[in-house]
């Protein structure tokens, strides 16, 4: 069991307090809203209960799937509505938070998971300025989406549970403020209500918030608030932006505090590997499929692989395949990365041996059998400890076994020099619709470290003739997170290839 408060005892600064406890109790989910009365959370109190290592990691991975998709959406320049829709779908799948009015829902379990997962990822992403920046941006975006979609009454009660040092000013008080000013200088004229708010009852409950002007200096600078006696009268339509800023500022401070305390965990061999793995999550999202079973039930024969590589493989596997065809040999990590990919693609052990033997044409049968055949069978779980080894995901390819000068494994989007990557992309995919005019946007994603976004964009471009649109990814806006995901979706869009059809006839 892991008690999270040992790693982080969050200290909430004055003026930023939630008036409820997060202590977990085991009771009927509909009777203890005092534990988590709101879907929205400023995460100002660290969990004070025991968490198993399994829950520690599983909850964080699910949250990371949501945050990684948010970052991917931002990198792909999706509109706010598109981003909100994608985030809602991901949350429904991995990090659901239902309204208090939902029936037959264990709210406490949902909100406990949300609470735990946020603080675990704080531990994972606090260790560098770059990780903190990316985490803050994604978390703030998630908070904005949830805030906008929250029930109006539940959002109001959530805000009333926070103390920002604000004082709600209703319409009658606004008239009292205005009575000593000439007409042109009255608050109601200086800060007019936008048309879209005039018909909303919310505006007449609390039209303005009175706050120390130093807390809203940007609004003062832009002349969007009324000033009197050291206070700014903030209109309700500017409130949300300030709340988001408060969330971001608070989270920034808490991450810096967490970073100072993190060295306490250095000797905990249970947690550090988990946190190291989580901190890589923004590189390529979190793969959920294509791990160890073939994506298709169709067997792929050795003679079909070259054609499949030219038409359906992502850049990483295409590069390895071309190197193999050129050099008639691959080093260990290249064989490992490509061999497991082919296994999950649907190449049987018999066909794999045929393919590798034909590809390694420069060596004798005896040398092949002694030095390579065993390893091929081992990767299929037929030798050694007989484990069913999974194919490597994008994240694993990106962070493990960095390729050297003469290696061909790894991710081209990360490991190639920019000019070499551009040349390779045009050489590999020009016949599939990619042109030099597409390269600037792809290379921008590469420069920003969004390698899987660059790969996803290449997929969209090269499959545009099959009906794939920009922003659609491999379906439903999903980004590439695994090479086998790319290949399987590409084959699906193309239908049975000539090789597949020939195989079906022969069988």
């Amino acid at each position: 069991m892991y008690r999270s408060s040992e790693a982080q005892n969050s200290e909430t600064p004055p003026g930023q307090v939630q008036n409820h406890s997060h202590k977990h109790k085991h009771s009927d989910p509909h009777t203890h809203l005092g534990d988590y009365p709101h879907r929205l959370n400023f995460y100002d109190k660290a969990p004070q209960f025991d968490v198993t290592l399994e829950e520690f990691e599983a909850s964080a991975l699910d949250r990371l799937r949501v945050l990684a998709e948010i970052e991917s959406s931002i990198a792909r320049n999706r509109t706010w509505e598109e981003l909100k829709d994608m985030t809602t779908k991901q949350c429904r799948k991995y990090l659901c938070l239902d309204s208090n009015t939902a029936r037959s829902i264990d709210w406490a379990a949902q909100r406990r998971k949300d609470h735990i997962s946020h603080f675990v990822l704080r531990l994972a992403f606090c260790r560098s300025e770059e990780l903190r920046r990316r985490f803050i941006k994604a978390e703030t975006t998630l908070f904005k989406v949830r805030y906008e979609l929250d029930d109006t009454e539940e959002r109001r009660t959530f805000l009333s549970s926070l103390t920002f040092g604000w004082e709600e000013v209703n319409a009658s008080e606004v008239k009292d403020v205005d009575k000593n000013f000439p007409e042109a200088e009255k608050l109601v004229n200086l800060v007019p209500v936008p048309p879209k708010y005039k018909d909303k009852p919310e505006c007449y409950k609390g039209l303005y918030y009175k706050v120390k002007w130093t807390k809203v200096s940007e609004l003062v600078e832009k002349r969007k608030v009324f000033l009197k006696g050291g206070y700014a009268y903030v209109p309700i339509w500017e409130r949300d932006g300030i709340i988001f800023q408060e969330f971001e500022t608070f989270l920034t401070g808490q991450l810096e505090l967490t970073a100072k305390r993190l060295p306490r965990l250095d000797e905990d061999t249970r947690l550090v590997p988990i946190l190291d793995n989580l901190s890589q999550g923004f590189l390529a999202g979190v793969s959920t499929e294509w791990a160890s079973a073939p994506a298709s039930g169709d067997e792929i024969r050795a003679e079909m692989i070259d054609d499949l590589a030219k038409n359906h493989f992502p850049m990483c596997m295409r590069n390895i395949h071309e190197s193999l065809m050129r050099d008639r040999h691959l080093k260990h990590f290249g064989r490992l990365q490509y061999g497991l990919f082919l296994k999950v693609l649907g190449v049987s052990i018999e066909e794999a041996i045929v393919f590798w033997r034909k590809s390694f044409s420069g060596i004798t049968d005896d040398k092949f059998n002694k030095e390579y055949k065993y390893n091929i069978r081992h990767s299929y779980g037929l030798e050694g400890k007989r484990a069913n080894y999974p194919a490597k995901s994008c994240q694993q390819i990106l962070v493990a076994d960095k390729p050297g000068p003469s290696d061909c494994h790894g991710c081209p989007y990360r490991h190639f020099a920019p000019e070499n990557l551009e040349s390779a992309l045009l050489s590999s995919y020009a016949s599939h619709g990619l042109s030099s005019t597409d390269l600037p946007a792809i290379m921008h994603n590469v420069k920003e470290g969004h390698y899987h976004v660059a790969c996803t964009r290449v997929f969209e471009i090269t499959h545009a003739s099959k009906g794939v649109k920009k922003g659609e990814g491999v379906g439903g806006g999903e980004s590439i997170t695994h090479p086998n995901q790319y290949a399987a979706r590409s084959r699906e869009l193309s239908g049975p290839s000539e090789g597949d059809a020939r195989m079906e006839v022969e069988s």
Side-chain angles (χ1 to χ4, degrees), residues 7-58:
Q8 180 174 358
N9 182 17
S10 179
E11 295 179 359
T12 306
Q16 191 103 46
V17 180
Q18 276 188 279
N19 299 325
H20 59 269
S21 171
H22 287 312
K23 292 181 180 179
H24 186 65
K25 300 176 183 178
H26 297 285
S27 58
D28 183 81
H30 292 74
T31 62
H32 61 259
L33 281 177
D35 293 343
Y36 297 102
H38 316 290
R39 280 188 288 183
L40 296 172
N41 196 336
F42 249 68
Y43 307 103
D44 56 343
K45 287 179 170 49
Q48 301 294 314
F49 45 80
D50 290 336
V51 179
T52 65
L53 283 175
E54 181 181 2
E55 185 179 16
F56 182 93
E57 182 174 20

Side-chain angles (χ1 to χ4, degrees), residues 223-286:
R223 298 174 180 253
K224 290 188 174 183
V225 294
F226 176 84
L227 296 177
K228 180 185 178 185
Y231 285 91
Y233 286 76
V234 180
I236 195 170
W237 50 90
E238 298 288 353
R239 177 196 63 187
D240 295 353
I242 300 174
I243 291 170
F244 302 151
Q245 182 61 47
E246 290 275 6
F247 180 88
E248 184 175 332
T249 301
F250 176 68
L251 182 56
T252 299
Q254 291 299 295
L255 281 171
E256 291 172 354
L257 180 62
T258 305
K260 293 177 182 178
R261 293 173 173 173
L262 192 65
R264 297 188 204 175
L265 294 178
D266 285 347
E267 297 180 1
D268 194 326
T269 57
R270 302 167 304 164
L271 301 185
V272 172
I274 296 175
L275 297 177
D276 287 341
N277 181 59
L278 290 170
S279 66
Q280 302 294 338
F282 279 149
L283 285 175
V286 182

